[in-house]
Amino acid sequence: MNNSWNGQRGLLFTSRIEGDCAIVRYKGQTIGLTAPLRAKGRTSTRAGEVDHDTIIGKQPRDVVVSSKDRELRVQVPTLEEHIVMTPRLVTPIYPADANLIVSLLDLHPDASQSGLYNNSHIEILEAGTGHGSLTLHLARAIHAANAGWDMPRTDDAQTVTKKSRLRHRAVVHTIDISSKYSEHAAKIIGGFRRGIYTRDIEFHVGDVSEWIDRQIDARDQRAFLSHIILDLPMSHTHIEKALSALQVDGKLILFNPSITQINSAIELVKTLRLPLQLERVVEVGPAMTGGRIWDVRLVRPRALTREANVKSISDTDTDNSRPASNALDDEASFDDDGGRYLVCKPKIGDRISGGGFVALWSRNRTRKDIQ
């Protein structure tokens, strides 16, 4: 009988490895997630307490009886259930949003050494570990690249040596300024299906810009990151440093709660003339399957362009010193120094409250890269 967490059929709940948990359902409704199963352990639910001993050895969808003589069905937690139902110190990136962010990276991991689009090594940086939700989704996305690698495992599913992790074809570097959050996220990730994705992740604590400096120094000033995700307060202040470690054609993603934070990043990229191509800005949140595309760009109004060409008109007609009312949307803001407007509006429909905004850039090739 297969005891692996890779498959559902024939799987047994066990206390042999700390971290096994079970979803408890009553009359078709999920009523709780057990603590890691252990001998003589108990979990309280609204349908009564459940002895862990009655779950250990059971298979998914088996029935156990609670202290209130209620029949409960146990099953293996999905990734979504694990993220939503585990204890949290910070608000997680919810699974629908995490799936969207990962899809923007367009990852196609392959364990083989051949292939037209094969990348010999993939390193992704996530700045802002938080609850570990996006970390788990990223690790799942690259997991296939590490298939077949003989990794040392210990009796503790959460323990994999740092040296062995870095021998992988693909790795997710996740960094948080708080050691408390980082340790909690590592526990959450290690508790999902006996730490199946722990071997794909490297945890770090500290400032992301300082971490990048140390890594670049250790790698002979080479860009080494395939993709970068910044989920931080004032994330735009780390863009220039992050770019120094991002490989050509790599993706840079910012995830912020406010569209004005995305605006700041776009203006910074333009001001510093960074080799980044803005691909899209997407609003994510409740009832937004696939996200909603926003139009966010710096433009020069047509009225101002005409002013520059016909100065005599601007001298005599003060109305020409202002852009035409139909030249730009009302959601645009004016940059007095550059004479440009920042367009900021949903591409379709009216604006509604969302969970956040995702901006995606691609790293362009420069003359320095060719040399």
Side-chain angles (χ1 to χ4, degrees):
M1 186 173 289
N2 177 25
N3 280 344
S4 170
W5 282 103
N6 291 314
Q8 296 288 317
R9 301 183 61 184
L11 182 145
L12 293 174
F13 290 107
T14 175
S15 61
R16 181 173 58 83
I17 301 177
E18 183 180 356
D20 289 16
C21 299
I23 288 287
V24 180
R25 295 174 67 87
Y26 177 59
K27 293 183 177 181
Q29 300 295 319
T30 299
I31 61 173
L33 175 71
T34 70
L37 299 176
R38 58 183 177 82
K40 298 182 180 180
R42 294 171 72 87
T43 294
S44 296
T45 73
R46 61 183 176 84
E49 291 190 333
V50 183
D51 289 328
H52 290 186
D53 290 331
T54 65
I55 301 177
I56 294 172
K58 294 288 187 181
Q59 296 186 25
R61 305 290 174 171
D62 278 354
V63 172
V64 297
V65 179
S66 73
S67 60
K68 293 183 178 181
D69 202 30
R70 307 285 174 80
E71 290 189 348
L72 310 178
R73 199 170 295 276
V74 294
Q75 65 188 66
V76 179
T78 64
L79 179 58
E80 179 179 3
E81 289 169 331
H82 184 80
I83 290 169
V84 172
M85 300 183 70
T86 44
R88 64 183 66 169
L89 299 179
V90 294
T91 301
I93 296 177
Y94 289 101
D97 299 341
N99 278 321
L100 174 63
I101 292 171
V102 173
S103 72
L104 293 175
L105 298 180
D106 196 32
L107 298 169
H108 302 278
D110 187 352
S112 68
Q113 293 288 349
S114 61
L116 179 62
Y117 298 104
N118 181 59
N119 192 332
S120 59
H121 193 69
I122 299 173
E123 294 190 57
I124 300 174
L125 172 63
E126 176 203 19
T129 307
H131 186 68
S133 169
L134 182 57
T135 318
L136 263 173
H137 283 82
L138 288 168
R140 181 177 65 172
I142 67 167
H143 186 69
N146 297 321
W149 282 59
D150 185 17
M151 295 292 294
R153 297 295 296 263
T154 68
D155 289 337
D156 182 355
Q158 300 182 37
T159 303
V160 182
T161 65
K162 179 176 181 179
K163 183 178 180 180
S164 63
R165 268 197 297 263
L166 293 178
R167 288 204 302 266
H168 273 47
R169 293 190 183 100
V171 63
V172 175
H173 297 285
T174 182
I175 184 168
D176 202 287
I177 196 68
S178 168
S179 60
K180 181 179 180 180
Y181 293 162
S182 182
E183 291 168 5
H184 181 75
K187 183 178 179 180
I188 296 298
I189 292 169
F192 181 68
R193 305 203 177 186
R194 302 179 190 172
I196 184 175
Y197 298 125
T198 305
R199 62 180 64 188
D200 305 304
I201 303 167
E202 182 67 32
F203 292 91
H204 308 275
V205 176
D207 178 82
V208 62
S209 291
E210 294 176 0
W211 181 85
I212 288 173
D213 276 336
R214 292 194 298 270
Q215 291 294 315
I216 289 181
D217 287 344
R219 300 173 191 243
D220 300 324
Q221 307 301 311
R222 290 184 298 106
F224 64 98
L225 292 172
S226 309
H227 307 293
I228 300 174
I229 301 173
L230 301 179
D231 177 17
L232 303 165
M234 301 293 289
S235 56
H236 66 282
T237 62
H238 297 281
I239 289 179
E240 189 174 12
K241 181 61 66 177
L243 186 62
S244 66
L246 184 62
Q247 296 172 346
V248 173
D249 200 36
K251 308 298 184 186
L252 172 66
I253 290 179
L254 265 64
F255 179 51
N256 293 133
S258 169
I259 190 64
T260 58
Q261 293 171 294
I262 301 298
N263 295 346
S264 297
I266 292 173
E267 291 182 293
L268 177 73
V269 170
K270 183 73 173 180
T271 300
L272 299 181
R273 299 180 178 272
L274 300 179
L276 290 170
Q277 177 66 49
L278 181 65
E279 304 288 355
R280 68 180 67 180
V281 176
V282 182
E283 182 182 5
V284 297
M288 286 191 181
T289 303
R292 179 168 56 170
I293 306 297
W294 275 59
D295 185 12
V296 181
R297 54 198 165 88
L298 287 167
V299 299
R300 185 172 180 82
R302 292 187 298 273
L304 292 183
T305 302
R306 289 194 297 269
E307 274 189 89
N309 296 330
V310 189
K311 294 183 179 180
S312 60
I313 295 177
S314 63
D315 292 335
T316 59
D317 187 352
T318 58
D319 288 339
N320 283 338
S321 65
R322 300 173 56 202
S325 60
N326 61 353
L328 289 171
D329 186 87
D330 290 340
E331 294 298 325
S333 60
F334 186 62
D335 178 1
D336 291 327
D337 295 331
R340 293 180 181 271
Y341 274 81
L342 181 63
V343 174
C344 175
K345 61 181 180 178
K347 288 242 178 172
I348 300 175
D350 296 327
R351 182 171 33 169
I352 64 175
S353 177
F357 295 85
V358 178
L360 170 70
W361 288 268
S362 294
R363 162 77 147 85
N364 288 331
R365 189 180 301 277
T366 65
R367 291 181 181 178
K368 183 178 178 181
D369 298 317
I370 298 174
Q371 294 173 353

